Amino acid sequence: MNPQEPTTFYAVNAFTGEPLPTAFPVHGEQEVNQAASAAQNVAREFRQLSNAKRASLLCSIASELEVKSEEIVARAHLETALPEARLSGEIGRTANQLRLFAEVVSSGNHHQAIFDTPNPDRQPLPKPDIRRQQIAIGPVAVFGASNFPLAFSTAGGDTASALAAGCPVIVKGHTAHPGTSQLVAECIEAALEKECLPQAIFTLLQGNKRALGQALVTHPKIKGVGFTGSVGGGRALFNLAQQRPEPIPFYGELGAINPTFILPSAIRANASLAEEFVASMTLGCGQFCTKPGVIFVLNSPETQAFIETAQGLIRQQSTATLLTQGIRETYESEVDKRASETGINVTRSEQAEATNVSPVLFVTDSKNWRKNPQWEEEIFGPQSLIVTCEDFDDMLKLSDSLAGSLTATLHATAEDEEQAKQLLPSLEEIAGRLVFNGWPTGVEVGYAMVHGGPYPASTNSASTSVGAEAIHRWLRPVAYQALPESLLPDSLKASNPLGIQRAIDGRVSQ
Ligand code: NAP
C-alpha cells in the first residue's frame, strides 16, 4: 500500500452523509496473504470435520447473532437507513438460513454418494468398483451486497453455505456497512471459539480500496468466489477470476429486471393488482435485486385503468433515503437520463429533498422498447417501466428477446390459460424462478429455492445462491476406484456409518 494513503476509513451515516465514530482498518495485499495462507492451513482439517460438528458451528453462529441482534440492528440502521423492523427480520432470516444449512449438513445428502457395483465377470472387460462423493473446494472469498447487510453479507447465504460445505471463508466487507460487518464477524469468531475451532476458518477483511477485492479474487490460495452485487463490479471480478493462471469458479449474483407479464383477465380478476405492483417495486426503496423492473401488458381498456391507478399511487409515494450517496447519485442520473429519452412517459412522486429520491414510474410501448435496448438495464432504486404490447403475439416476441433475470412473473387466470402456456417456455429460458399471480420481491429460503438465472442475473446459471442447493457451489465431485473399505471416506463405506442416502447403480437407497 502507498505509505501516503490513509490506513483507516469511516462508515457513513446513511441519513446524514456524515462519518460515524470508529475507524476501520484499510486492509490490502498483506492481510489477504495472511488470511489466505491461514485459511489454507486449516482447510483440510475443516473439510474433514464431522457433519455434526459443522452443523453445531452453524447453529452457534445463529445463536450468537440473535444474542447480539439489538446492537447489530442499531448499527445497520445508521449505516444503511433501512428500517429497524426490516433489519430485525433480516437477523431472523440470516439465523434461519444458518440453521437450514446445519440441517443440510446433518442429513449428509450434500455428499451425493453414488456407487457403481463392480462386476469382475463382465465381458470384454471387468467393471470396476467406483464410488463418488463431493468434497469441499478449499478457501472461499465472499463479497456481500449493500442492500442486505445481514442476509447477503458477512454471515449471509454465501458464508453459511461455504462453511456448511467445509470451506474456510474470507469475507470482503462492504464499505456501505463496515460496523455491521464487524459486529457480525465478532459473532462468527465467538462461535468458532465456543466450538473450539481455529479462528482462521473465518476472516473479515475491510477497506475502501478496490485493490482489496481484486487481491482476494486473484490470490492462488482462494479456490472459489461468492459475489452479490452490481453487474459492473461482478463482471470485473469474474473476468479476474477467469484470467488467473488457475481459473476458479466465480458465483456472481448480479442485476436483473425481473420481467412481469400481465394478461388482461388478471387485471379484471384482481382489483388491487396496481397497488400490489407499486408496493413490490417500492419495497426496501426499490433496492431489491428481485424488484419487478419491467412490466409487459397488452393494450386494452383494463390495462389503461391499471396504468392510471399505478401512476396515481406513485404520485402519493413518500420520498426515500437510499443506502449510500453513490447509489443515490447513480439512481438520479439514470432516472434523469431515461426521462429525457423520447417515447417514454414519466410519473414521479413528490419532489425529493436533499438526501432522498422520488419513486418513478415510466410507461412506453413495445415499438419504443425495441428502439431502446438500454431500457433493459436495471436501475437500482424505486423505479419501474410499464411496456404496452400491441397484442399477444407482440408480447410473446418480446418475451423471447429478453436477457437473463433472477425471476419472471406471470399474472393470468384460467381464461388466459392458452396464452400462459405459450409464454411459459420462454420465461423458463430467461429466469431462475417463475412466479404465478404473485410478486417476485420476497425470496423464500428453503430446499427448492432457485436464486440465480442466465447472465446477467448470475455468472453461473446452473447454480443458486439462496436455499439448500447453494452448498453445491463449494463442493466438487471425486470418484474413488477400487479403494478398500478401510481407506474409503465414511460416506462411501459399504457399512454406511453416516446413515446417509446413497444412489446405487442409478437407484436411490439407504
Ligand atoms: P457493488 O457496488 O457491485 O458492490 C459489491 C461488492 O463488490 C462491494 O464489496 C464492492 O466494493 C465490490 N466491488 C464492486 N466492484 C468492484 C471492482 N471493480 N473491484 C473490486 N471490488 C469491487 O454492488 P452493491 O452496491 O453492493 O449492490 C447493489 C447491486 O447488487 C444491485 O445491482 C442489485 O441488483 C445487486 N444485487 C443482486 C443480488 C442477487 O442476488 N442477484 C442481491 C442483492 C443485490 P466496495 O465495498 O469497495 O464498493
Side-chain angles (χ1 to χ4, degrees), residues 78-299:
L78 287 179
E79 291 185 335
T80 64
L82 293 171
E84 288 182 305
R86 139 82 199 264
L87 291 163
S88 295
E90 218 183 303
I91 289 258
R93 179 193 169 95
T94 310
N96 288 343
Q97 192 160 252
L98 286 154
R99 293 194 176 105
L100 173 78
F101 282 110
E103 255 176 51
V104 170
V105 174
S106 300
S107 77
N109 288 341
H110 63 289
H111 292 298
Q112 290 192 334
I114 302 177
F115 289 55
D116 279 343
T117 309
N119 179 1
D121 301 327
R122 191 184 69 174
Q123 294 300 328
L125 291 170
K127 184 179 170 207
D129 177 335
I130 300 182
R131 304 176 192 201
R132 171 258 203 220
Q133 68 151 357
Q134 300 208 103
I135 68 162
I137 59 172
V140 160
V142 168
F143 293 72
S146 54
N147 57 345
F148 279 87
L150 302 165
F152 283 85
S153 193
T154 310
D158 284 347
T159 298
S161 55
L163 291 177
C167 298
V169 171
I170 302 174
V171 168
K172 188 278 179 195
H174 201 295
T175 40
H177 52 257
T180 310
S181 299
Q182 180 58 39
L183 290 171
V184 172
E186 285 166 15
C187 292
I188 302 176
E189 287 157 11
L192 284 167
E193 197 175 331
K194 194 170 137 206
E195 299 288 330
C196 302
L197 290 169
Q199 289 291 323
I201 288 172
F202 173 84
T203 306
L204 169 68
L205 297 178
Q206 302 250 46
N208 55 358
K209 300 276 170 292
R210 292 280 153 98
L212 169 60
Q214 291 158 4
L216 204 46
V217 169
T218 51
H219 198 284
K221 290 186 169 134
I222 294 296
K223 299 299 176 192
V225 181
F227 174 96
T228 308
S230 63
V231 177
R235 184 63 200 236
L237 292 171
F238 169 84
N239 289 346
L240 280 182
Q242 304 319 304
Q243 285 156 10
R244 293 167 40 128
E246 178 200 355
I248 51 170
F250 182 99
Y251 296 98
E253 297 302 327
L254 314 179
I257 56 162
N258 304 299
T260 297
F261 295 81
I262 302 183
L263 297 176
S265 70
I267 301 177
R268 288 194 294 276
N270 182 356
S272 33
L273 200 63
E275 213 172 302
E276 290 173 13
F277 157 55
V278 172
S280 179
M281 71 159 263
T282 55
L283 189 69
C285 304
Q287 300 167 119
F288 269 55
C289 49
T290 47
K291 175 192 74 176
V294 180
I295 314 293
F296 295 99
V297 290
L298 293 184
N299 212 347

Side-chain angles (χ1 to χ4, degrees), residues 429-481:
E429 286 162 23
I430 56 165
R433 175 166 60 108
L434 306 191
V435 180
F436 188 71
N437 283 347
W439 295 94
T441 352
V443 184
E444 183 67 28
V445 180
Y447 284 91
M449 178 48 72
V450 175
H451 190 65
Y455 188 83
S458 85
T459 56
N460 186 322
S461 65
S463 68
T464 174
S465 73
V466 176
E469 292 294 301
I471 192 172
H472 296 291
R473 297 174 300 165
W474 318 117
L475 296 165
R476 67 176 183 84
V478 179
Y480 304 75
Q481 187 165 329

